[in-house]
Amino acid sequence: MADLPRFVVACLSTGRIALLAIMISVGIILQFLACSLYNNWWPMLTVLTYIILPMPLIFFAGSNSASIMPSDGNSWLNFAKFLTGASIVGSIAIPSILKHADVIGWGALAMEFSSFLSFAVAILCFLGTNNDDEYGRF
């Protein structure tokens, strides 16, 4: 992207942020639809895991997302990764357990998993965008 004019690069960077915002919005809408369409608000338990999900990385890894992937033996960072992984498993397990107990239907389960997928792709895109060299030049 070094050959492109500066305003085109800035527009593409803004487009990335807009795409991330749209993906998060789609995840939130799917979360609410899973509850409201089936008149059952038990799937909102998953929101707790979405709120808890970034907390270990904020507290233990700091604000630098480049420090999430180092290979050194930082025990606090490893503990943060463990807690984040446990929260991710909870995001998948809560709707599965609710479906297994026949508390929610298949449609709500599909919307819950679609919401999780939307959030996961948005987070992975954010990490990729944040590590991009051209993004932080301005």
Side-chain angles (χ1 to χ4, degrees):
M1 289 181 35
D3 302 352
L4 297 175
R6 185 178 175 138
F7 69 91
V8 174
V9 174
C11 184
L12 290 174
S13 297
T14 306
R16 291 178 193 169
I17 293 172
L19 180 66
L20 290 174
I22 290 169
M23 289 171 49
I24 293 294
S25 299
V26 166
I28 292 170
I29 289 171
L30 284 171
Q31 184 73 39
F32 278 111
L33 284 176
C35 297
S36 64
L37 286 179
Y38 299 100
N39 199 21
N40 186 354
W41 292 92
W42 279 103
M44 275 296 180
L45 286 174
T46 311
V47 173
L48 294 174
T49 60
Y50 294 150
I51 293 171
I52 294 171
L53 185 67
M55 296 300 172
L57 290 174
I58 290 171
F59 293 142
F60 297 120
S63 62
N64 188 3
S65 67
S67 67
I68 295 174
M69 300 297 178
S71 60
D72 61 349
N74 187 352
S75 61
W76 286 110
L77 186 60
N78 291 335
F79 182 64
K81 289 178 186 178
F82 172 75
L83 289 177
T84 303
S87 182
I88 290 171
V89 169
S91 301
I92 297 170
I94 288 173
S96 301
I97 292 169
L98 290 174
K99 174 58 189 132
H100 182 72
D102 287 329
V103 175
I104 64 172
W106 285 107
L109 180 71
M111 285 188 186
E112 285 286 323
F113 285 158
S114 299
S115 173
F116 173 76
L117 182 67
S118 174
F119 283 130
V121 169
I123 290 170
L124 291 176
C125 288
F126 171 73
L127 290 175
T129 300
N130 207 15
N131 290 335
D132 195 8
D133 289 336
E134 289 90 21
Y135 186 72
R137 283 189 188 168
F138 303 110

